[in-house]
Structure formats: structure tokens, C-alpha cells
Amino acid sequence: MKVTFLEPLGISGEKLQAMVEEALGDRAEVTYYDTRIEDTEGLIQRSQGADCVVLSNFKYGREVISRCPDLKMICVAFTGVDHIDVEYCRERGIAVCNCAGYSTVAVADLVFGFIIDLARNVIPCDKVVRQGGTKAGLVGYELEGKKLGVVGAGAIGRRVIRIAQAFGCQVYAYSRTKKEIEGVTFVSLDELLETCDIVSLHVPLNDSTRGLIGEEQLKKMKNSAVLINTARGPVVDSQALAKALKEGVIAGAAVDVFEMEPPVPADHVLFGAPNLIVTPHVAFASQQAFEKRAVIVCGNIKKWLDGEPQNLV
């Protein structure tokens, strides 16, 4: 059985190899690549002969998979799988497993970094104090008593809810599936947008969530509200968000995800918008999260070899 790691996973190669050897022993021939490539021909070449490949968040579509006749399992070292041609994998009988849960803590941490930055004007304060200014016009607000809305009550959404409750927020949530969480008021998406001071997105990218937040939805929000997107870039219409920020439809936003993986073009429409914090798809990335991810990857491959696959998509 041949297993190929198509890219490094954020921990040392020595540590990863030790973890893989402990999990798989001599059951697999393992190849490790210590660089990341994304071009189709390069990925095809690296994937040749592999029964199982491991990759994170670059596009791995039909044009690659169709030219890898030995492929039987794709282990996605990531939570979302919208970059994988899952339907084609089903046609081929290729198992696709993800690493759901590894970044729950890391993402929720950054969400509140964003929220506090926006609430207390941390970035503008940093700039003005370096220029000899004062707090004039930059006095922010406390989170206690604010209405915080979570769109998508999965693992990350639920952790955001718990942290929000610790801050003393009134928490609202929208979920496609009926859920009950103590202290949380579940409402429609429209009601959440109209009610909340802070809206944080935690949904996967699929046909029903692409463009979920557009011009119409942004206009439903309070003009004092802020939007946090650590989910997927296309969940929000970037043109509409830039317009809403420029016209004062909402007060601010923080965005970790875009329509493409960084590097993001310097002329991206959001970069001209005021009161916006952007980061380069870093929410999932912490030292601890990378180690958790490697543990799950090894477990996924071991369970698949045992005939008891886990984390199947």
C-alpha cells in the first residue's frame, strides 16, 4: 500500500514521520514531499502509483484524479472539502476523509481576536498612538450585553457560542438543522441579521451557502453591526461587502477567507473598503492545530487500512 503526502503539514518532517510510523508500522510505503505545489501536472506526477494521498486545501479535481488509476483514498488534512471533486470520487469509489475538529479552537480564538479588535478599535488605536494622537473618536464598546449571532452551529460555531456566553453576550444562532443549545435563541437568518450587533459565519461552502451574505442580507444588518467571516470566501459577496462598508451600511468587518487562496491580488475589491481587518486564511493555523491535524490524518489512514474508515465525507 502506497501513501503519499503531497505537501508538508505544518509540523517537522521528523515528527510527522514518527507519527506515521507509529500509526501504520510497516503496512504502507510512505512518500513525503516537503514543498507545496498546485499545478495539475505536478500533482499528477506526485500522485502516480499512490493508493492514498494526503493534502490540505489546494484544488484536487477530476483532471488530477482521473489520471491516478491506483487512487483509492484521499485524506484531506482540512475541514472543508469544496476543493475536492467529491462527486467524481464517489463515481470512482474513492474514499474521501477530512480532519474535522482539528482547528475548532484556533478558528474560534481568531474570531474573538477580530471581534475585540473591531469593538475596541485596536488597529486604528495602534496607528494613531504612533502618530502622536489620542483616543479621541476611537472609544469602543464592551461585549457584555451585545447581541452576537452565529450562522452555522457546528463544532466551531458552538465553541464561538460558548466563548460569547462567557463574555456576557446575548447569543442568537441560525442553523439549517434544528438544534437546541442552552442560552441560545435560534432564529431565521433574516431575524439574526436584523437583530445582532456582531454576526459570525461558520458554514461550509456548498451550493446553498455560496453567496449566502450578499447586498440584500447586508442591508438587513444594523448600521452599527460588524461581520466576521472565517468560513469560506464565497459565502460572502465581496463586491457587496465592500460597498456596504464604503456606504456605512454596516460598521465594520473582518475577513480571513477570499475567493482564492492567498496571495490575494493587491487590487482585490475588499482592500479599498474602510473599517476592515483582513488576514491570509490563517484562522485554522496554530501550532497546536497542526499537531492535532497530523494525529487525525494518521488515524484516518490507519482506520481506512483496517477497513473501518472514519471521518468519511
Side-chain angles (χ1 to χ4, degrees):
M1 187 68 64
K2 183 175 180 181
V3 177
T4 301
F5 285 73
L6 295 175
E7 61 175 320
L9 293 186
I11 64 174
S12 73
E14 294 79 9
K15 188 169 188 176
L16 178 60
Q17 289 183 40
M19 293 172 69
V20 172
E21 288 173 8
E22 181 179 352
L24 305 182
D26 60 0
R27 301 172 68 187
E29 174 191 343
V30 185
T31 301
Y32 303 89
Y33 286 96
D34 60 4
T35 58
R36 175 181 168 115
I37 63 170
E38 300 184 31
D39 65 287
T40 298
E41 291 303 320
L43 290 173
I44 291 168
Q45 183 177 357
R46 286 189 176 187
S47 303
Q48 285 303 302
D51 298 281
C52 168
V53 295
V54 181
L55 62 115
S56 63
N57 61 339
F58 54 73
K59 181 176 173 57
Y60 201 76
R62 183 182 298 246
E63 63 275 18
V64 176
I65 300 168
S66 64
R67 291 173 62 184
C68 300
D70 299 311
L71 196 57
K72 302 176 185 68
M73 189 250 200
I74 298 174
C75 185
V76 183
F78 211 62
T79 301
V81 295
D82 48 280
H83 54 297
I84 307 293
D85 193 331
V86 175
E87 288 303 316
Y88 182 60
C89 288
R90 291 194 179 113
E91 292 175 19
R92 281 269 309 273
I94 298 170
V96 179
C97 300
N98 72 351
C99 288
Y102 82 93
S103 64
T104 298
V105 173
V107 175
D109 282 358
L110 186 62
V111 167
F112 279 88
F114 281 156
I115 291 172
I116 292 170
D117 279 355
L118 289 167
R120 300 302 300 271
N121 297 306
V122 173
I123 293 176
C125 281
D126 175 89
K127 181 178 179 181
V128 77
V129 76
R130 294 172 188 273
Q131 297 172 344
T134 70
K135 67 180 182 299
L138 294 173
V139 174
Y141 56 83
E142 298 175 356
L143 297 187
E144 185 175 38
K146 289 295 183 183
K147 296 179 174 66
L148 188 146
V150 173
V151 179
I156 297 173
R158 291 195 301 272
R159 184 168 180 86
V160 168
I161 286 169
R162 291 197 298 274
I163 298 171
Q165 290 172 328
F167 272 103
C169 296
Q170 299 177 42
V171 183
Y172 293 76
Y174 165 73
S175 176
R176 289 192 304 164
T177 57
K178 183 177 175 61
K179 295 182 180 178
E180 291 186 11
I181 301 175
E182 185 177 353
V184 178
T185 303
F186 278 83
V187 294
S188 68
L189 179 59
D190 284 352
E191 186 175 349
L192 184 148
L193 295 172
E194 292 166 358
T195 303
C196 292
D197 304 294
I198 302 158
V199 175
S200 190
L201 306 177
H202 300 288
V203 294
L205 178 62
N206 53 45
D207 290 342
S208 66
T209 61
R210 189 178 298 274
L212 182 69
I213 305 298
E215 185 171 3
E216 179 182 346
Q217 289 73 31
L218 290 164
K219 286 181 177 178
K220 294 179 186 296
M221 295 175 65
K222 300 176 180 180
N223 58 18
S224 58
V226 299
L227 178 71
I228 312 294
N229 186 14
T230 56
R232 287 291 183 273
V235 169
V236 178
D237 181 333
S238 292
Q239 294 277 356
L241 178 57
K243 181 180 178 184
L245 289 167
K246 289 176 181 178
E247 296 179 356
V249 173
I250 63 172
V255 172
D256 181 55
V257 284
F258 301 85
E259 299 82 3
M260 72 292 289
E261 285 299 310
V264 180
D267 60 354
H268 191 280
V269 64
L270 283 175
F271 295 165
N275 303 319
L276 174 71
I277 300 171
V278 290
T279 51
H281 198 182
V282 72
F284 70 95
S286 72
Q287 293 178 356
Q288 295 91 337
F290 286 156
E291 292 185 5
K292 294 173 190 175
R293 176 172 69 171
V295 169
I296 297 172
V297 164
C298 292
N300 284 350
I301 299 170
K302 181 180 184 298
K303 284 288 189 180
W304 174 68
L305 288 174
D306 291 341
E308 302 172 352
Q310 65 181 13
N311 297 317
L312 280 172
V313 175

